[in-house]
Amino acid sequence: MSNRTLRVKTSGRGSDWCYSVLSPDGRVLITRRAYPSEYAARNAGWAAADALSPVTVAMRLTQDRPAQVDWRAMRPANSKPSFWRSLFR
């Protein structure tokens, strides 16, 4: 896995797996072990890499939602809603 600045490396066998988060120049930033599977170690490594990454990378991984439109606010102020619409407010 690579999030452009940090890499995650997993190693182990059986029920003893570990992950290491590596900097761009190859230095080990953090290592944790005793994960039951490679899948669990890899997911924990990705979470650690995201937590250690610069804010600009984390911001690229998030997705902004478009603003929600309130359709009631678009109605002219002097118009009165119909009777049946007022029942469901």
Side-chain angles (χ1 to χ4, degrees):
M1 178 265 181
S2 174
N3 65 3
R4 297 185 191 228
T5 57
L6 303 176
R7 293 183 316 138
V8 174
K9 178 183 167 188
T10 58
S11 60
R13 60 188 141 127
S15 63
D16 185 28
W17 284 86
C18 72
Y19 72 84
S20 299
V21 178
L22 306 171
S23 67
D25 58 349
R27 289 182 303 137
V28 176
L29 299 176
I30 189 170
T31 299
R32 295 286 185 261
R33 59 179 307 135
Y35 288 93
S37 65
E38 182 183 12
Y39 178 78
R42 187 180 331 115
N43 285 339
W46 287 346
D50 287 343
L52 292 171
S53 66
V55 174
T56 55
V57 173
M59 287 171 52
R60 269 185 273 157
L61 298 176
T62 62
Q63 186 176 19
D64 294 331
R65 276 195 237 175
Q68 301 243 342
V69 176
D70 186 8
W71 295 105
R72 288 178 288 174
M74 297 180 72
R75 184 178 89 233
N78 59 358
S79 71
K80 186 175 179 183
S82 63
F83 173 73
W84 68 272
R85 286 191 186 265
S86 65
L87 294 176
F88 297 102
R89 291 187 133 203

